[in-house]
Amino acid sequence: MVNVKRYLRLLGVQLKASGLLALQYRADFLAEGLTSLAWTFTALAPLFVVFGARPSIEGWTFQESLLVVGWFTLLQGVLEGAISPSLTGMVEHIRKGTLDFVLLKPADAQFLVSTQRFLPWRAVNVLSGVGLFVYAFVSLGRWPSLPGIFASLVLLATSMLILYSMWILVVSAAFFVVKVDNLTYLFTSIFDAARWPSSVFRGSLSWVFTFIIPLALMTTFPALALLGRLPWTWLVGAVVGSVAFASVARWVWLMSIRHYTSASS
Amino acid sequence: MSLRTSLKALPTMLRIGFSEAVAYRAEMVIWVLATTMPLIMLALWSAVARGGAVGRFGQAEFTGYFLAAFCVRQMTSSWVAWLVSYEVKQGTLAMRLLRPISPLLAYATEVLAGIPLRVAIVLPVLGISVWAAGAERAVPTSLGGWGLFALGIVGAWLITFYLNVLLGTLSLFLESSQKLMEVYMVLFFVCSGYMFPVEFFPPGVRTVIEWLPFRYQMGLPVELLTGAHGAREAWALLGAQWAWVAGLGVVSMAVWRRGLARFAAFGG
C-alpha cells in the first residue's frame, strides 16, 4: 500500500512538471487544435470517398463508421498526449546513454520512463473524438444505452492498456535496434489501421489485427459496444486479452532491460 | 563548392551512403513496415470492391494500384526535412557547412544511396502484383511505358526532395517546423493518391488537386506504372509534374540560401 501511495505521488510530480511546461507554451493550444482538426479531416476524407461509392461496407454504414473514427481520434489524443512523448524521450535516453541515470533511481524504471513527459494540449483530440460521437448519434437519431456506455468505458480502459503495452514493446525493440528515430513513426502507422472497422480486413490480416496487434479491440469493439451490438463474451475476452498482452509486454521489457549495456560501457 | 569537385566526390559519397544503408538495414526494415498504409488501404478498398467495381476499379485494379503505391513510396520517400531540422536544432549543420560540398548534396546522396536496398524490396512486391493483378494492371507492358514511368518517378523523387528541403529549411525561420511537417504529411496522405486514387475526388476538388504538387509525388507515377493513361495524357501530366519540379527547385534553393544566412548569424 505504501508503495502504491509513493508511486501515485511520483506520478503527481511528473504530471505537474509536464503541466507547468505546457502552461509555458499556451499558444500551442491553438496549434494543437488546428492540427487535431487537420488529423480528423484526414481520418474523414477517405471515409467520405469510400462511402461515396457505397452506402454500407461489410455491414457498417457511414454513421456507424464515424463512431470507429471517433474512437480512433480519441485514442490518438491519448497516444500523443500521454504515451508517444515518453517514447521519444526513451529512445533518446537509449541513444545517448542517459538511461543509466533513470536506472539508478530508486523507483521502477518502466514507471519512470513511461511518465517522463505528457503533452496536455494534445487532449484536444479527445474532444474531437467526443464531438464525432455526438454527431454520429444525432444523425443516427438514437442514443446509446447505459450498459453500452459502461461497456465502452471498460473497453476504453483496456484499449489504453493495450496501447501502452504496444508502446513498451516498441521501446523494448529500441534496445536491440541501434538507429531508432523511426520507431515512433512505426508505432503511429501501425495504429493508423485502427481507423477502419475491423470487419473490412479478411483472412490473415483480420487474425493479426485481432490477436497479434489487437487493433480491433481498440476501436471497433468500443464502437460496437456503443451501438449495443457487442456480445458480453467479447467484452470479457477483451479484458482478459488486454491483461495478458500487458503481462507479455512487461515480461519483454524486463528481458530487454537486462540486455541493455549503456553507451559508455 | 564547384561543380567539378562535387561531381568528383559524388561516387565516394554514394558508396559511403550505401554502406551506411547496409549497416542500418534494420532501420530500413522498420521504415518499410511503417509505410504499409497502401496495404491497409488495399484491404479496405477490396472490401468495397466486393460489392462491385468502383469506377474503372475492380478487385484486380485496386491490387495493382495499391501495390504500385507501396513501391512508389519506397522509391521516393525522403527524410531530409527531419534531417535538416534536427541538424539545425543540434547545431551539427555547422559541421556540414565546413565541408567543401553543399550539405544538400550530402542529404540527397544519403537518400539516393538507400534506393538499391529499397529496390530489393520493391521487385518482389511488383512480382506479386503481376501475379495477383495481371501484368497489364501491374506494370507497363511496353518499353515506352517504362520510359514514361522512369520520368515520372524521377520527377516524384525530386518534388519530394525539394519539398523536404523547403520544410526543413523553414526550421531556420520558425522555432519549430514540426507542426508544418505534420500538416504536410496530412495533405500528402489525402491529396496524393496514397489512400485512394485521385480520380475518386469529386470533379470540383479534382481540379484543385491537379494544381497541387502532391498528386505528382504519388498518384502520377502509380498511374504510369499501372498504365492508366494514354500517351498524350501521360505527357501532359508529366509536363505539369516537371513544371512543379522546376518551380520547387528554384524556390527551395532560394529559401535554403536565405536560411543559411540566418544560421550563420545564430552561430556567430
Side-chain angles (χ1 to χ4, degrees):
Chain A
M1 216 48 231
V2 178
N3 227 351
V4 174
K5 232 173 165 177
R6 180 159 158 267
Y7 276 103
L8 278 179
R9 217 181 68 223
L10 259 178
L11 179 66
V13 172
Q14 303 262 54
L15 271 174
K16 200 174 143 196
S18 297
L20 287 176
L21 207 63
L23 281 179
Q24 230 176 358
Y25 299 100
R26 273 174 297 244
D28 274 6
F29 177 68
L30 202 69
E32 291 299 339
L34 287 177
T35 11
S36 171
L37 281 180
W39 275 117
T40 315
F41 163 72
T42 21
L44 288 180
L47 205 68
F48 280 120
V49 174
V50 169
F51 284 95
R54 294 273 177 288
S56 97
I57 289 148
E58 300 291 326
W60 289 79
T61 64
F62 175 67
Q63 284 89 354
E64 289 163 357
S65 307
L66 269 187
L67 289 177
V68 178
V69 176
W71 280 106
F72 175 76
T73 314
L74 196 154
L75 283 176
Q76 206 173 33
V78 174
L79 180 69
E80 288 178 357
I83 300 180
S84 289
S86 296
L87 169 74
T88 327
M90 173 72 187
V91 168
E92 198 80 335
H93 272 318
I94 296 178
R95 212 173 56 83
K96 289 188 176 163
T98 47
L99 187 67
D100 301 19
F101 305 134
V102 180
L103 293 174
L104 280 174
K105 283 178 185 157
D108 185 69
Q110 184 181 347
F111 176 83
L112 284 179
V113 295
S114 327
T115 54
Q116 59 180 327
R117 188 113 161 73
F118 294 94
L119 297 175
W121 296 142
R122 292 272 166 159
V124 182
N125 264 329
V126 176
L127 295 180
S128 319
V130 174
L132 281 176
F133 294 151
V134 173
Y135 177 76
F137 274 106
V138 165
S139 47
L140 276 173
R142 66 188 177 84
W143 294 99
S145 65
L146 267 180
I149 293 177
F150 174 73
S152 67
L153 286 178
V154 170
L155 285 167
L156 175 62
T158 60
S159 337
M160 276 157 65
L161 189 63
I162 293 171
L163 264 185
Y164 173 72
S165 309
M166 279 169 72
W167 173 76
I168 287 292
L169 288 176
V170 170
V171 164
S172 302
F175 285 104
F176 300 92
V177 188
V178 188
K179 205 172 169 184
V180 281
D181 315 356
N182 304 322
L183 281 180
T184 23
Y185 192 73
L186 172 67
F187 193 63
T188 34
S189 57
I190 291 174
F191 183 56
D192 246 355
R195 70 171 86 209
W196 308 103
S198 61
S199 51
V200 304
F201 301 115
R202 283 278 170 94
S204 53
L205 210 52
S206 134
W207 193 80
V208 167
F209 284 152
T210 314
F211 296 107
I212 308 287
I213 312 169
L215 295 177
L217 255 66
M218 289 194 265
T219 53
T220 307
F221 279 27
L224 282 174
L226 278 181
L227 289 165
R229 279 203 237 140
L230 187 81
W232 281 103
T233 44
W234 290 24
L235 182 62
V236 174
V239 172
V240 173
S242 62
V243 171
F245 196 76
S247 331
V248 170
R250 170 75 185 172
W251 179 74
V252 171
W253 162 266
L254 289 176
M255 291 283 291
S256 328
I257 204 106
R258 224 174 297 151
H259 182 86
Y260 171 74
T261 49
S262 92
S264 50
S265 56
Chain B
M1 232 189 269
S2 77
L3 191 65
R4 244 187 67 209
T5 45
S6 298
L7 279 179
K8 243 165 75 184
L10 204 58
T12 316
M13 286 167 74
L14 281 173
R15 208 160 45 233
I16 294 171
F18 179 70
S19 312
E20 261 178 17
V22 173
Y24 291 116
R25 55 199 178 276
E27 185 207 22
M28 202 199 56
V29 171
I30 291 182
W31 252 117
V32 171
L33 287 177
T35 46
T36 43
M37 194 196 261
L39 307 182
I40 302 296
M41 297 315 289
L42 173 59
L44 176 79
W45 282 104
S46 301
V48 177
R50 278 197 284 275
V54 186
R56 69 180 176 84
F57 283 88
Q59 195 89 50
E61 281 81 4
F62 276 127
T63 308
Y65 185 92
F66 284 111
L67 289 182
F70 175 80
C71 296
V72 169
R73 182 81 201 276
Q74 296 311 320
M75 308 283 292
T76 59
S77 72
S78 187
W79 52 92
V80 173
W82 280 264
L83 222 53
V84 174
S85 102
Y86 181 81
E87 295 212 327
V88 167
K89 219 172 77 184
Q90 301 281 323
T92 46
L93 182 62
M95 308 289 191
R96 295 250 193 204
L97 287 169
L98 280 176
R99 295 181 189 167
I101 215 159
S102 165
L104 287 185
L105 198 66
Y107 297 138
T109 46
E110 186 182 327
V111 177
L112 280 175
I115 287 186
L117 278 188
R118 283 160 187 273
V119 168
I121 292 173
V122 159
L123 286 178
V125 174
L126 276 184
I128 292 170
S129 180
V130 168
W131 170 75
E136 71 284 1
R137 295 188 199 87
V139 288
T141 40
S142 68
L143 208 60
W146 279 106
L148 288 176
F149 167 67
L151 211 55
I153 198 144
V154 171
W157 189 89
L158 282 170
I159 291 180
T160 313
F161 177 73
Y162 287 142
L163 277 177
N164 265 276
V165 170
L166 202 56
L167 279 168
T169 314
L170 285 179
S171 62
L172 285 161
F173 297 92
L174 308 167
E175 257 178 76
S176 158
S177 54
Q178 211 75 38
K179 278 270 117 55
L180 271 172
M181 291 182 207
E182 266 183 47
V183 172
Y184 162 73
M185 284 314 273
V186 169
L187 286 173
F188 172 77
F189 281 160
V190 177
C191 305
S192 68
Y194 191 50
M195 298 180 90
F196 44 84
V198 285
E199 54 195 274
F200 287 2
F201 277 113
V205 185
R206 177 86 194 270
T207 322
V208 179
I209 297 292
E210 298 286 345
W211 281 93
L212 292 175
F214 310 106
R215 176 234 192 299
Y216 303 102
Q217 287 179 270
M218 173 59 61
L220 179 61
V222 169
E223 287 152 16
L224 292 174
L225 189 60
T226 53
H229 298 301
R232 177 192 283 274
E233 216 180 332
W235 279 112
L237 284 165
L238 279 171
Q241 185 193 40
W242 281 86
W244 267 109
V245 171
L248 280 170
V250 170
V251 171
S252 63
M253 290 310 128
V255 173
W256 166 255
R257 218 157 284 146
R258 297 202 58 168
L260 275 194
R262 282 177 66 98
F263 181 73
F266 273 127

